[in-house]
Amino acid sequence: MTISPGEIAALAGIAVLGSVVFGITGFGAALITIPLATHLVPLQFALALFVLMDLANAFRIGFENPKHALRGEWIRLVPTIVLGTVAGVTLLVNLPRQAATLALGIFVLAFALYSLTRRAEARAVLAARWAYVAGFAGGITSTLFGAGGPPYAMYLSHRGLTKEQYRATLGLATLTSISLRTLAFLATGILLEPKVWACAAAIVPAGLLGLWGAGHLFRRISRDALMRAVSLMLLASGASLIVRAFG
């Protein structure tokens, strides 16, 4: 596979955009980067490339305010994140490319519709046992689609946490998930391709630039407004992936 300088530049632009979203919301980078990148490179290559960026960003955000993270919530999530990661990477290496593209499109489209239709005031508190479901779902979607954050965010946003507790605990869960995904990709050889690391030399710095930009945008744009714009873009992206899978 040959990647042109123009394609690397486009991937770097995607990295900046995804990192801006991650820096403001605490999750969601892969919902931007992976669907867009798969229009340029194969899904497995995109997942391997952007996990390196995600890991760098997650270390930056995950240890931002660790004192606010709730240890009990994290401990409940971790065991099933591990199980979900194993299940997800097994599916990834065995699914045909067309089926993987279709599954990614459906996942992205479903999350976009959820984000657009959910009511902000609907904040019923979930029981702690739902952590095991969220952890397993996040582990699967993290390795299969590069996006483990949504299940963790859905769960933690309904646990009655303060804004600081939510962001810190979500950051720690995301860091755990991305670290496990990186190890899984190394173990299966997905992350051992030299071209991945060559492209990462441009993508990782671009991602950190986007994270820096997010810090300046944080006070100028509301989280809800950003997520609504992202959701509209995801509708188009998810639909295009589904069309490609049947094309």
Side-chain angles (χ1 to χ4, degrees):
M1 181 184 68
T2 302
I3 303 177
S4 69
E7 287 172 330
I8 292 176
L11 290 169
I14 292 169
V16 171
L17 181 60
S19 293
V20 167
V21 172
F22 180 75
I24 293 176
T25 66
F27 74 101
L31 289 168
I32 302 296
T33 57
I34 302 303
L36 294 180
T38 51
H39 289 282
L40 301 171
V41 295
L43 175 60
Q44 286 196 9
F45 187 93
L47 287 169
L49 176 61
F50 283 99
V51 75
L52 297 174
M53 182 200 82
D54 290 344
L55 189 62
N57 288 352
F59 268 103
R60 172 66 181 83
I61 296 294
F63 293 115
E64 197 174 59
N65 285 299
K67 65 181 180 180
H68 294 302
L70 296 185
R71 181 182 175 87
E73 294 288 4
W74 179 73
I75 289 174
R76 277 190 290 271
L77 285 165
V78 169
T80 49
I81 290 177
V82 174
L83 294 176
T85 299
V86 174
V89 78
T90 302
L91 287 171
L92 179 64
V93 298
N94 288 292
L95 272 180
R97 181 174 178 178
Q98 184 180 20
T101 301
L102 177 60
L104 175 60
I106 292 172
F107 174 74
V108 170
L109 196 64
F111 181 77
L113 291 171
Y114 164 81
S115 298
L116 288 169
T117 57
R118 74 185 180 96
R119 296 171 59 185
E121 63 271 19
R123 290 293 185 213
V125 176
L126 289 176
R129 63 178 177 272
W130 282 99
Y132 307 118
V133 177
F136 187 71
I140 289 178
T141 58
S142 177
T143 45
L144 193 54
F145 308 129
Y152 313 142
M154 291 176 196
Y155 166 72
L156 291 171
S157 66
H158 290 82
R159 287 292 292 159
L161 310 185
T162 66
K163 181 180 177 181
E164 293 76 17
Q165 290 173 333
Y166 168 80
R167 184 175 174 84
T169 308
L170 177 60
L172 197 56
T174 302
L175 175 59
T176 302
S177 186
I178 293 171
S179 299
L180 288 170
R181 191 200 322 163
T182 304
L183 292 174
F185 286 177
L186 283 169
T188 56
I190 295 173
L191 200 49
L192 299 180
E193 186 176 342
K195 287 182 181 178
V196 169
W197 293 89
C199 288
I203 301 309
V204 172
L208 293 174
L209 177 63
L211 207 60
W212 174 82
H216 291 269
L217 289 172
F218 187 77
R219 295 177 182 84
R220 300 183 183 184
I221 183 171
S222 72
R223 181 181 183 276
D224 287 342
L226 176 67
M227 286 308 295
R228 189 164 187 83
V230 166
S231 297
L232 290 171
M233 183 169 62
L234 290 177
L235 278 176
S237 180
S240 69
L241 287 168
I242 292 172
V243 170
R244 279 181 57 204
F246 286 108

